[in-house]
Amino acid sequence: MTRAFDRLYRVVQHKWRGVNLGGWLLLERGPSAPFFEVNGLTCDSEWDATEALCGSSMKQDAAETFAYHRRRHVLEADFAEIAKRGFNAVRLPFGYWIVTGPTNGDPYIGPALELIDDAVEWAGRHGLEVLLDLHGNPGGETEEKPCGRGNPDWCFEAWRRDEALDVLAMLAERYRDFEHVTGLQVCNEPSRFRIEPPKLLEHYLNAVATVREAGMPPERVSVVCPCYFEGAKRRVFLESWRQACAAGELDGAVLDFHPYFFLPSSNEVTQGLISEQSLHEAQSWDLVPSAVVGEFSAAFHTFKGEPCCDKTPEGRELLNEFLVVQQDAYSQHATHGHFYWTWADNAVGWSRQAAFFDGPDAGPDDGEDGEADLEDAEEAEADAVDEAEEAEEAEDDDDGDADEFGDGDEWAGSDDQSVASDMCEAMEATISPYALRNKTAPCTG
């Protein structure tokens, strides 16, 4: 891949700077802790919670318990606060059963697709973009609990990938006309131990094709694909990914990374300063055409090899410093931005809503040039509207002489495509303000 192609492919407009709405439409022990505690559950996955509740009472009672949680865990007021705090997007994790209801004998309770509808509506009302995240796939994409079930016997063949593609198609068709739905994520943290890189890439290629065929265009909607491999597997996967991008097989696809440093293996005693660890990880993304940080947190281990605590002024200061370091690094090196995990959680370092965070909420802006571009974009869009109104007036006066120009949106879109064509021919990474504001750059990951 040439540097010029790489530069073009990575043209970035308006980066996501958002938060996850974890624990709402897929239970996880951390953000969903109140659900487990109130219902006396000692398990920590939605599969086990559903089986426990259905086993101890009538299924109708279990359904009402889940419905109560889903109605109250996240409210429109949360979207309003997220926007007020300066974020511009939310990542919405959910299990497949929220979309279709449980299949293949799974015990989950669903569907509850109207809640995704609510989230999309609330986000639009408060000026937030949405990354829809199929966090729990049919059959699971991993043996770990974040997909909805911890299953030590899980294998790659258990992942019902064809069914997962059907779910993605349903989501794409349902939300393709919502311009603030700017991302659809294929899965979350696929197994790094039980999947071979070629198999995962094959699924991603199929997923991207499925989403595009269902009507979500690459110039507006990113298809997000996680890279959860480590070591040699990661190197093999990334090389294959770059080749597929160069061949034009991953139009508008973005790699998702989750740089976490809360495990003892990341402690500063043996691994060095946590800030340097996060920067080193971020710099590695410069080798791929496009990247987003789908999850990160401020939780980490200190020089003493212990989890950082927010109970002291020193601990709070360390958490804030690590937050700012990560936001700066991820804004610089992740072409499509970052999402904090998660909005609300009682655990130290995991709640972006937490009052002890004093750092800037949304991270640094794209810079003065980026702000100027956005202002220019607003002016360009206003000019396009004026052109459209003038054309309409001329049409009324002159039997449609202005028909050749179309309406304002068509005019702006065709102008953007002209700029994009010149870009691709000249291999220059420049883009019109209209495209900057509306994520319409071809050749973009």
Side-chain angles (χ1 to χ4, degrees):
M1 181 189 300
T2 66
R3 288 189 177 183
F5 176 84
D6 181 61
R7 187 182 178 198
L8 256 182
Y9 199 82
R10 295 181 58 187
V11 171
V12 177
Q13 308 87 42
H14 181 57
K15 293 185 179 183
W16 289 315
R17 291 194 175 88
V19 294
N20 280 272
L21 298 176
W24 180 21
L25 302 181
L26 194 159
L27 297 181
E28 295 192 45
R29 185 77 197 195
S32 309
F35 177 91
F36 290 94
E37 293 166 0
V38 167
N39 291 290
L41 299 170
T42 58
C43 56
D44 51 8
S45 74
E46 182 151 343
W47 178 289
D48 292 337
T50 308
E51 287 195 325
L53 290 172
C54 289
S56 61
S57 63
M58 295 176 60
K59 188 157 187 174
Q60 182 63 34
D61 293 337
E64 291 176 358
T65 299
F66 273 93
Y68 182 82
H69 163 79
R70 292 167 179 170
R71 286 196 307 268
R72 299 179 62 86
H73 188 75
V74 173
L75 305 173
E76 184 176 358
D78 292 291
F79 286 78
E81 184 180 352
I82 290 167
K84 185 178 180 180
R85 294 267 294 264
F87 298 103
N88 65 16
V90 293
R91 179 174 180 255
L92 180 64
F94 50 85
Y96 82 88
W97 54 93
I98 297 295
V99 181
T100 64
T103 60
N104 206 53
D106 292 351
Y108 302 115
I109 292 175
L113 190 53
E114 69 279 1
L115 297 176
I116 299 181
D117 291 344
D118 287 344
V120 170
E121 179 182 347
W122 294 341
R125 191 176 297 164
H126 296 283
L128 297 168
E129 295 184 19
V130 180
L131 168 55
L132 298 172
D133 169 26
L134 187 57
H135 210 79
N137 272 231
E141 60 266 48
T142 177
E143 67 275 16
E144 303 294 340
K145 296 169 185 175
C147 72
R149 179 192 187 190
N151 180 10
D153 297 324
W154 184 90
C155 61
F156 180 66
E157 290 71 24
W159 185 359
R160 305 195 295 275
R161 298 182 300 285
D162 287 343
E163 184 182 338
L165 295 177
D166 291 340
V167 176
L168 291 171
M170 290 178 60
L171 291 165
E173 290 171 1
R174 189 178 186 89
Y175 300 109
R176 62 190 175 192
D177 294 327
F178 292 85
E179 292 200 359
H180 63 288
V181 177
T182 53
L184 179 54
Q185 181 149 351
V186 175
C187 61
N188 175 71
E189 298 180 356
S191 177
R192 58 169 53 123
F193 304 111
R194 304 182 188 182
I195 301 178
E196 293 304 315
K199 293 290 187 180
L200 185 61
L201 181 60
E202 179 184 9
H203 180 60
Y204 286 167
L205 291 169
N206 291 333
V208 172
T210 295
V211 172
R212 301 305 176 215
E213 290 169 4
M216 279 188 161
E219 62 269 17
R220 183 173 60 81
V221 182
S222 298
V223 179
V224 179
C225 305
C227 178
Y228 205 53
F229 293 122
E230 292 181 335
K233 274 190 172 182
R234 174 165 166 156
R235 290 190 293 273
V236 169
F237 175 79
L238 292 181
E239 178 57 29
S240 298
W241 177 272
R242 286 191 290 266
Q243 292 174 3
C245 286
E249 297 175 320
L250 288 164
D251 197 8
V254 182
L255 278 180
D256 173 29
F257 296 92
H258 295 180
Y260 281 129
F261 303 94
F262 64 93
L263 294 174
S265 58
S266 297
N267 75 84
E268 292 186 319
V269 175
T270 61
Q271 301 300 315
L273 290 174
I274 203 74
S275 58
E276 294 180 1
Q277 292 184 51
S278 62
L279 179 58
H280 177 74
E281 170 65 17
Q283 289 172 337
S284 72
W285 308 330
D286 292 342
L287 300 176
V288 298
S290 53
V292 63
V293 178
E295 299 180 17
F296 77 102
S297 80
F300 70 97
H301 275 66
T302 68
F303 259 117
K304 298 178 181 179
E306 301 171 349
C308 186
C309 181
D310 66 337
K311 303 301 182 183
T312 65
E314 179 186 13
R316 288 191 290 273
E317 182 178 358
L318 288 173
L319 287 168
N320 275 288
E321 289 178 356
F322 189 40
L323 168 67
V324 173
V325 165
Q326 289 186 94
Q327 285 186 161
D328 289 350
Y330 304 159
S331 293
Q332 180 179 355
H333 295 284
T335 61
H336 286 62
H338 51 76
F339 293 85
Y340 196 90
W341 184 275
T342 183
W343 173 237
D345 193 315
N346 291 328
V348 175
W350 293 93
S351 175
R352 198 60 187 84
Q353 188 182 33
F356 63 76
F357 276 137
D358 300 320
D361 278 325
D365 292 330
D366 291 332
E368 294 181 0
D369 292 340
E371 292 176 359
D373 285 336
L374 289 176
E375 291 175 2
D376 291 343
E378 303 241 355
E379 294 178 6
E381 185 177 30
D383 290 342
V385 172
D386 291 341
E387 291 278 351
E389 292 175 349
E390 291 174 5
E392 289 175 1
E393 292 174 2
E395 182 177 9
D396 292 338
D397 295 338
D398 197 22
D399 294 327
D401 288 345
D403 284 353
E404 61 181 312
F405 297 107
D407 64 20
D409 287 339
E410 292 171 349
W411 177 86
S414 62
D415 178 66
D416 179 52
Q417 292 302 319
S418 174
V419 173
S421 297
D422 292 341
M423 251 175 45
C424 291
E425 291 175 5
M427 286 296 180
E428 292 294 336
T430 56
I431 191 167
S432 73
Y434 185 87
L436 182 74
R437 186 169 184 265
N438 290 278
K439 285 178 172 272
T440 56
C443 308
T444 303

